[in-house]
Amino acid sequence: MQKPFFLLIIGLFFGTGFGFILAASSGAEFEGHDHGDPAQHAEGQAHDGMDHSAMDHAAMHSKLTEAKAPLPGLDLTLHPDGASSRNLEISLENFAFSPENVNGENTPGAGHAHIYVDGVKLARSYGPWFHISGLSAGEHEIRVTLNANDHSQFAIDGEPVEAKATVVIE
C-alpha cells in the first residue's frame, strides 16, 4: 500500500508542475473577480479569510479620506510591452506603499493604489510598477487612485487623489 501512495504523490507533484508550465507557455493569465459584483459571490460566501457579504466594497472605494500634509501626489507613465500590454509606472510624491497595513488603521501618507481600466477596477498595487495585459484594440483610459488602508480614496479638498493616462492599442 505504501508504494502506490508514494507513486500517487509523485504523479500529483509532477502533474501539477507540468500543468503550470503548460498554462504559462500558452499565455494563460490567472485573474481575480470583481468584489463589488454580488453575482460573483455565493450568498454569505467567505473569501480570503474575511466574510465579504457584510462589506460594501463599492461604498468603501468611493469613500474619501482627507489627506494630511505633506499632501500626496502621483503621476503615471505607460511603457510599451508587447502589442496589447503596457507596463504602468506609478510615480509618487509624499506617499508610501504599505501592504503590511492593508485593512488596518489608516496612516497619513501611506496605503496602496487601485488601478482601473476604462472605469473597471483591475487590481490593487503595492508598488510603483504594474503590468497591464490583454488590452483590446482601441483607446483605453488607465486611472490610478491612492487609497488608505481601509480602501477609501485619499482626497485633497474633497477631490480624489488620482491620475489618468490614455493608451491606444493598434
Side-chain angles (χ1 to χ4, degrees):
M1 182 68 188
Q2 189 175 6
K3 188 174 182 180
F5 179 74
F6 181 69
L7 293 175
L8 173 69
I9 297 300
I10 290 174
L12 288 173
F13 176 77
F14 285 106
T16 301
F18 177 75
F20 277 107
I21 290 170
L22 183 63
S25 68
S26 69
E29 294 182 22
F30 300 102
E31 300 181 80
H33 63 274
D34 182 2
H35 285 257
D37 183 359
Q40 295 189 25
H41 287 277
E43 185 67 28
Q45 175 183 7
H47 180 61
D48 288 345
M50 296 179 65
D51 183 359
H52 283 52
S53 63
M55 298 177 74
D56 184 353
H57 286 280
M60 285 310 299
H61 291 179
S62 63
K63 177 185 170 200
L64 298 178
T65 295
E66 250 340 277
K68 295 181 172 42
L71 299 176
L74 77 154
D75 191 38
L76 307 179
T77 305
L78 291 165
H79 301 275
D81 183 13
S84 64
S85 62
R86 296 294 182 268
N87 285 322
L88 171 64
E89 180 182 6
I90 304 170
S91 301
L92 300 171
E93 186 176 309
N94 302 317
F95 188 86
F97 288 111
S98 61
E100 68 279 4
N101 296 320
V102 71
N103 298 323
E105 291 288 320
N106 287 347
T107 304
H112 58 278
H114 288 182
I115 299 170
Y116 298 83
V117 175
D118 297 328
V120 177
K121 183 179 174 191
L122 178 65
R124 286 183 210 164
S125 180
Y126 295 109
W129 289 91
F130 189 85
H131 181 74
I132 301 173
S133 63
L135 295 168
S136 60
E139 187 174 289
H140 299 279
E141 180 187 76
I142 311 299
R143 179 171 60 101
V144 175
T145 62
L146 291 185
N147 297 77
N149 294 328
D150 69 357
H151 305 282
S152 61
Q153 292 182 16
F154 277 113
I156 299 172
D157 297 327
E159 291 296 317
V161 178
E162 63 184 22
K164 295 177 183 176
T166 301
V167 62
V168 177
I169 302 297
E170 300 293 323

